[in-house]
Amino acid sequence: MKLVVFAAIFLLTEFGVVRAEGDASKGAEIFKKCAACHSVTEKTNKVGPYLVGIAGRKTAAAEGYNYSEALKTFAQANAVWDDASLDQYLTDPKAMIPGNKMPFAGLKDVQERADLITFLKTKM
């Protein structure tokens, strides 16, 4: 029985069902790592696409941004950026979508990702 409970907790945690609660103010600090390439204040693309409204937005849908073929292909099967997909992408963008253009290695800390996602959700 203990093995079953352990396995269930592992699977839920591993696949993003169990998540830490995020703090938007801490996420704003973490976003400073992203600000050189992304905007959250206006719908203006930089090196990367703007992130205004990213939470719940169609994947690869920032107007005027030239997405990689890898991300366009990914978008066909993954229509919307939700908490789980943002969390997975922010963990390791290249592992989730091989061939995408984002050079960022990812955020390995679960709490940092939760904080950043919470912050991004305030930027609608």
Side-chain angles (χ1 to χ4, degrees), residues 50-113:
Y50 64 83
L51 300 178
V52 176
I54 187 73
R57 182 172 80 200
K58 285 183 161 188
T59 307
E63 293 177 33
Y65 186 73
N66 184 24
Y67 289 97
S68 65
E69 289 304 316
L71 198 54
K72 290 177 191 176
T73 300
F74 174 81
Q76 292 172 2
N78 301 277
V80 175
W81 286 114
D82 60 14
D83 286 8
S85 60
L86 285 169
D87 183 63
Q88 184 180 0
Y89 188 71
L90 291 169
T91 300
D92 189 345
K94 294 290 184 194
M96 182 175 174
I97 307 172
N100 82 74
K101 295 193 281 187
M102 190 156 98
F104 185 63
L107 292 172
K108 303 309 177 206
D109 185 89
V110 173
Q111 189 61 56
E112 285 187 352
R113 291 193 312 272

Side-chain angles (χ1 to χ4, degrees), residues 18-77:
V18 174
R19 266 190 261 305
E21 291 294 318
D23 180 324
S25 63
K26 289 179 182 176
E29 286 299 310
I30 295 163
F31 181 76
K32 290 178 181 178
K33 297 176 186 180
C34 315
C37 298
H38 299 281
S39 172
V40 292
T41 57
E42 53 190 48
K43 292 183 178 181
T44 301
N45 296 312
K46 295 183 175 184
V47 173
Y50 64 83
L51 300 178
V52 176
I54 187 73
R57 182 172 80 200
K58 285 183 161 188
T59 307
E63 293 177 33
Y65 186 73
N66 184 24
Y67 289 97
S68 65
E69 289 304 316
L71 198 54
K72 290 177 191 176
T73 300
F74 174 81
Q76 292 172 2

Side-chain angles (χ1 to χ4, degrees), residues 2-24:
K2 288 181 184 178
L3 182 58
V4 172
V5 171
F6 175 75
I9 290 170
F10 172 78
L11 289 173
L12 290 173
T13 303
E14 190 66 21
F15 293 103
V17 177
V18 174
R19 266 190 261 305
E21 291 294 318
D23 180 324

